[in-house]
Amino acid sequence: MTDKFDKVPADGDPSAATSVSKDGGALPPEAIKAIPVRHYGRWVSGAVVLALVALLVNAFATADKIQWNAVGDYVFDSTVLAGAGRTLLISVLAMIMGVVLGIVLAVMRLSKNPVTSWVAWVYIWFFRGTPVYVQLLLWFNLALIFPVLNLGPIYKDEMVDVMTPFMAALLGLGLNEAAYMAEICRAGLLAVDEGQTEASHALGMSHAKTLRRVVIPQAMRVIVPPTGNEFINMLKTSSLVYAVTYNELLRATSTIGSTSYAVMEMLFVACIWYLVMTSVFSVFQYYLERRYARGSTRSLPATPWQKIKANMLGLGSERGTA
């Protein structure tokens, strides 16, 4: 009769052996006592950051020369609301111009025609290489070079009447944005596998139809995220049209500040509205990215509401277990 003994695995690890009781039954393994590692550095750095933030907030809150009641009085002022509306209008129109022209420039860059490819490259080189502020001033002062806009029998008028502050702001922002959107769209088009284009041509589809039906829909997954970032940046860059006397949000708040001597207070009002607009469009951008990610990821990322709901359910289950 042989004695019973514990079997040790082939790798020689005695900790993995099965314990056997005297009556031949297997004993349950002992519970592992896991001791969490304490990260004292995290607590110290967190306390330091919170202290610095508290000092900064307290410095602004207790500043004697800041009239915080003026901020609340002018947040919903009609002049400020009108300026915010003009900021939104010029940003949307300039972004539409930039996206449409950017797609055209991206197709021209990828064209096998050397003339169109070279023209698109020069356009992108110029508008990306010069500041937006300078471009706005160039458009606004165009009447110094061309006093009259003469398009023959189609249109003729004084340049000062044509190049209004709104038109100068639209051209300055839209044409500059087109240069960046051209590179974004070109990257999205190049991200689509060439086999897709070859298969479309094999089916008898034209080049234009292949772009419209096959390439561009797949490239949107790459184009949409940076386009959303560009639009949010456009909302902030629109403050530069202050230089061409377009009465947008910053100019409206600055005008009120110069007359009421509440300069800093009105700048805070402008910051509030810029933060509101960028935050709202950041939410739209998130859901738009989520929509175009349906064909590339197995499971879509959770929405903010789904994350909140999951955290609340998890907290409730932990309380129930306790």
Side-chain angles (χ1 to χ4, degrees), residues 213-260:
R213 294 287 187 87
V214 179
V215 178
I216 291 180
Q218 297 183 61
M220 288 299 291
R221 179 174 54 87
V222 181
I223 295 174
V224 166
T227 302
N229 293 332
E230 285 295 316
F231 179 71
I232 293 173
N233 186 59
M234 176 68 73
L235 285 170
K236 298 178 294 182
T237 308
S238 64
S239 61
L240 293 177
V241 301
Y242 184 100
V244 296
T245 67
Y246 182 65
N247 195 19
E248 41 76 53
L249 177 60
L250 181 61
R251 188 173 184 82
T253 54
S254 298
T255 302
I256 297 175
S258 61
T259 56
S260 63

Side-chain angles (χ1 to χ4, degrees), residues 279-292:
S279 300
V280 170
F281 281 99
S282 296
V283 175
F284 288 157
Q285 177 191 357
Y286 175 83
Y287 282 98
L288 192 61
E289 291 180 12
R290 192 172 183 270
R291 174 179 176 80
Y292 281 101

Side-chain angles (χ1 to χ4, degrees), residues 64-241:
D64 297 333
K65 295 185 178 181
I66 298 180
Q67 302 175 8
W68 290 107
N69 56 343
V71 176
D73 294 338
Y74 283 103
V75 167
F76 297 102
D77 185 78
S78 58
T79 303
V80 175
L81 293 177
R86 294 188 189 96
T87 294
L88 188 60
L89 175 65
I90 198 67
S91 299
V92 171
L93 294 179
M95 196 67 199
I96 292 174
M97 178 187 292
V99 170
V100 174
L101 188 56
I103 294 175
V104 175
L105 290 170
V107 175
M108 291 173 63
R109 278 291 307 272
L110 298 175
S111 175
K112 296 180 180 179
N113 189 332
V115 177
T116 57
S117 178
W118 181 81
V119 169
W121 182 87
V122 171
Y123 179 97
I124 295 171
W125 168 76
F126 176 79
F127 282 94
R128 286 203 311 171
T130 54
V132 186
Y133 189 82
V134 177
Q135 296 173 28
L136 288 168
L137 294 178
L138 285 174
W139 286 110
F140 188 64
N141 296 288
L142 195 62
L144 299 176
I145 303 176
F146 303 104
V148 178
L149 177 63
N150 189 359
L151 300 179
I154 300 176
Y155 185 80
K156 184 178 180 180
D157 198 357
E158 298 289 335
M159 183 61 75
V160 292
D161 297 329
V162 176
M163 199 56 60
T164 60
F166 173 79
M167 186 60 64
L170 180 61
L171 292 176
L173 295 177
L175 296 180
N176 179 79
E177 184 61 33
Y180 292 92
M181 286 304 305
E183 292 299 286
I184 293 174
C185 294
R186 186 172 68 92
L189 295 175
L190 292 176
V192 180
D193 188 76
E194 293 183 1
Q196 301 286 330
T197 303
E198 295 173 355
S200 301
H201 290 168
L203 293 174
M205 299 176 66
S206 63
H207 183 67
K209 193 173 184 179
T210 300
L211 282 174
R212 188 175 66 254
R213 294 287 187 87
V214 179
V215 178
I216 291 180
Q218 297 183 61
M220 288 299 291
R221 179 174 54 87
V222 181
I223 295 174
V224 166
T227 302
N229 293 332
E230 285 295 316
F231 179 71
I232 293 173
N233 186 59
M234 176 68 73
L235 285 170
K236 298 178 294 182
T237 308
S238 64
S239 61
L240 293 177
V241 301

Side-chain angles (χ1 to χ4, degrees), residues 80 249-250 253 265-275:
V80 175
L249 177 60
L250 181 61
T253 54
E265 291 80 357
M266 297 312 301
L267 290 177
F268 289 149
V269 171
C271 290
I272 291 172
W273 277 110
Y274 280 122
L275 287 173

